[in-house]
Amino acid sequence: MTAPRTGRRRRPPLVFFLIAPLLSSCSRAPSVDILGSFFPAWLICFVVAIVLTAFVRLALLRLRVNVALAILLYPSLAAFLTFAFWLIFYY
């Protein structure tokens, strides 16, 4: 007698999912030369995003817009701008 089939598929081992990020890598880390010192490009994007987030906050204060969850809005906006600048300028 054979065992009845349950209809479940066999999943691939977790090792395949852990090896995939190691196989896809970049050739070098992008860096920016500022006055003879090399800074990582993500740091430049982060600083620009923080400055723009501060300007957005000042604009919202000036327009008297009530922000419900400011503790979530401003870090999320800074992260979004950082990732957007990274994709636009360095990808």
Side-chain angles (χ1 to χ4, degrees), residues 27-48:
S27 61
R28 63 174 182 85
S31 57
V32 179
D33 182 18
I34 299 176
L35 298 175
S37 295
F38 288 98
F39 291 95
W42 64 266
L43 187 62
I44 305 301
C45 294
F46 181 69
V47 169
V48 171

Side-chain angles (χ1 to χ4, degrees), residues 5-13:
R5 297 186 74 164
T6 60
R8 289 183 55 187
R9 287 192 213 172
R10 189 169 176 225
R11 286 192 262 162

Side-chain angles (χ1 to χ4, degrees), residues 72-91:
L72 293 176
L73 175 71
Y74 297 121
S76 299
L77 182 61
F80 172 75
L81 290 173
T82 301
F83 300 143
F85 288 140
W86 173 262
L87 287 174
I88 291 170
F89 295 116
Y90 295 104
Y91 184 69

Side-chain angles (χ1 to χ4, degrees), residues 46-58 77-78 81 85:
F46 181 69
V47 169
V48 171
I50 292 297
V51 169
L52 287 177
T53 302
F55 283 132
V56 167
R57 182 177 184 274
L58 290 174
L77 182 61
L81 290 173
F85 288 140

